[in-house]
Amino acid sequence: MSGRTGLVLAPEARIYDHGPQHPLRPDRVLLTWDLIAATGLDALPNVEVLGAVPATRDDLGRVHTPAFIDATERAGHGEDGDWSAFGYGPGDNPIFTDMHEAGAIVAGASIAAAAAVWRSHVAHAFNAAGGLHHAMASRASGFCVYDDPAVAIAWLLDQGAQRVAYVDVDVHHGDGVQAIFWNEPRVLTISIHEYEAHLFFPGTGGIDERGGPDAPGSAINVPLPAGTGDDAWLAALSTIVPRAVADFAPDVLVTQLGCDTHMTDPLAQLRLTTHSYEEAAAILHRVAHDAAYGRWVATGGGGYQWARVVPRAWTLYFAEMANASADLPDALPHEWVERASDRAGEPVPSTFSEPAPQPRPDADDQARAVTARLADILWP
C-alpha cells in the first residue's frame, strides 16, 4: 500500500492541560512526537510534517453551539458564571486557562489532517493531539472540550465528502461523535469499547444503539466485557469493521486510536498489549485502501499510561500509516528511553513488544459472543 503520509505537529497543544493531577497529560502527545522523531519516521521520504492553525468559531460551530463556545472561552478567561451547565467544574473537566484556545488548537490540527487528505496532499494523516471524542454539542465531557473528530468530519462534509466512516477503538464509547451524527445518514460511527451499562464511563454504547430516525443503522457499537484480551478484541475489530465500512463505501475513513485499552491502563479493564495496536493499525490501513480510496485521517485519544504505553502505541500506528512498520526495530532508541524515564520518574519499557497477560477465557468467550451476535444483526 502506497501514498504519502502526513504527521500533524501542533506544539501549542501543550496548553491543553487540565492540571498536574489530571490523568490526561499533555506529555503523552509530546513524548509520542518525540518517539516518532527518535525512530526517524518523520524523516522518511514519504512522510510530510504538517502544521496547523486553530479552528475558527465557524469551524467549531459546525458541531458545537454558539452558547457552548462562548461559555468555554469565558470560563477559560476566568470570568464568573454557571459553567457547570456546560460540563465544566471539579472532576473530569476542570476549568483551565485558555480552554477555548487549547481546544481550538486541537480541533484545528484535526482539520489540518482532514484537509491534507481531502485535498490529496497526502493519503493518510495523523493528529496525535486529537481524539477528544466525548465532547457533546453543548457540553464538555470526559476530559474533552471540543470534539475534534466530529469537527473534522463536519469539515469534510462541508467540503463535499458524501460519506464519512468513523471508527473508534478507544476503551470508552465514542459517545460524543455518535451523538453529534446520530441522525446524519452521511456518517457511519463504529465504536469498539469496554461496556457495562450505566456503570463504566460513559455508560452508553450498547449493541442496540443504531442511529436516529433519519439514519437507521448509521451507528454500530461493539460492547465488550472487562477482561477482554488481544485475540478476542482483534476478532471483534476484524469481523465487524472491514465489512461494515466496505458496505458503507465512504469517501474518507476517520479513526480515533485511543490506547486506554492497554492491560495496565489505570482507568479501564481491558487487557490488550501493543500487539493489538500493531495488528489494528494494519487492519485499519487495509480498510482505508479497500473501502475509502486510501484516505485515512487518524487522531489520538485516550491512554493514561502516558509515558509507558501511549508513545509506543501511537508510534506503532504511525509506522503502519507510513508503510514503515516492517522496518521498525523492536528496540526503542536508548536516548528516548532515558528521556522518557526521566520525565516519568520511573523506568519505561525499552521495546515496542511486550508479553501478554494470562488470558481470561470467560471474558474472551463473552466478547466473541457479542461479536457473533452483532454480526448476525448486521448481516442476517
Side-chain angles (χ1 to χ4, degrees), residues 227 358-368:
Q358 287 295 315
R360 282 268 308 275
D362 57 333
D364 289 342
D365 288 347
Q366 291 176 42
R368 289 188 174 92

Side-chain angles (χ1 to χ4, degrees), residues 6-207:
L7 176 66
V8 180
L9 297 184
E12 302 88 351
R14 71 179 64 233
I15 71 170
Y16 194 97
D17 188 351
H18 294 84
Q21 304 307 314
H22 197 280
L24 191 76
R25 298 280 297 270
D27 302 84
R28 317 167 318 133
V29 178
L30 302 177
L31 282 172
T32 297
W33 290 332
D34 195 19
L35 181 55
I36 288 172
T39 56
L41 291 171
D42 63 334
L44 293 173
N46 65 320
V47 169
E48 182 166 348
V49 174
L50 305 172
V53 297
T56 66
R57 282 181 172 265
D58 286 344
D59 292 329
L60 298 171
R62 294 188 181 98
V63 164
H64 295 291
T65 65
F68 175 60
I69 297 169
D70 182 63
T72 301
E73 185 170 33
R74 291 173 60 199
H77 290 174
E79 294 188 30
D80 292 332
D82 182 14
W83 309 130
S84 63
F86 299 95
Y88 296 120
D92 284 358
N93 296 283
I95 294 168
F96 62 93
T97 301
D98 293 335
M99 285 195 306
H100 166 76
E101 290 78 5
I105 290 168
V106 173
S110 287
I111 291 175
V117 168
W118 183 245
R119 293 167 180 161
S120 300
H121 190 64
V122 297
H124 320 318
F126 179 43
N127 171 28
L132 304 178
H133 61 162
H134 293 307
M136 299 290 176
S138 59
R139 176 171 55 85
S141 177
F143 314 160
C144 305
V145 173
Y146 296 135
D147 197 314
D148 66 281
V151 169
I153 292 168
W155 184 92
L156 286 165
L157 295 175
D158 195 55
Q159 297 300 307
Q162 296 300 303
R163 299 161 83 86
V164 178
Y166 171 75
V167 177
D168 189 317
V169 298
D170 196 279
V171 80
H172 300 100
H173 178 224
D175 60 333
V177 182
Q178 176 180 287
I180 287 165
F181 297 111
W182 180 250
N183 210 33
E184 173 53 80
R186 295 177 296 170
V187 178
L188 172 69
T189 63
I190 306 175
S191 179
I192 303 174
H193 48 269
E194 182 178 338
Y195 178 74
E196 188 173 3
H198 311 300
L199 294 175
F200 182 73
F201 183 86
T204 56
I207 203 169

Side-chain angles (χ1 to χ4, degrees), residues 283-353:
I283 292 168
L284 293 170
H285 197 179
R286 287 193 296 271
V287 169
H289 283 277
D290 291 347
Y293 305 96
R295 300 185 186 116
W296 183 10
V297 177
T299 68
Y304 306 101
Q305 283 280 19
W306 57 272
R308 296 180 58 82
V309 174
V310 176
R312 292 188 297 144
W314 289 347
T315 299
L316 286 170
Y317 273 111
F318 186 72
E320 175 64 35
M321 297 182 80
N323 296 301
S325 57
D327 299 321
L328 186 68
D330 187 46
L332 275 61
H334 179 69
E335 297 79 5
W336 183 88
V337 172
E338 286 192 336
R339 288 195 299 273
S341 297
D342 287 345
R343 194 177 302 183
E346 62 177 2
V348 303
S350 60
T351 60
F352 283 105
S353 64

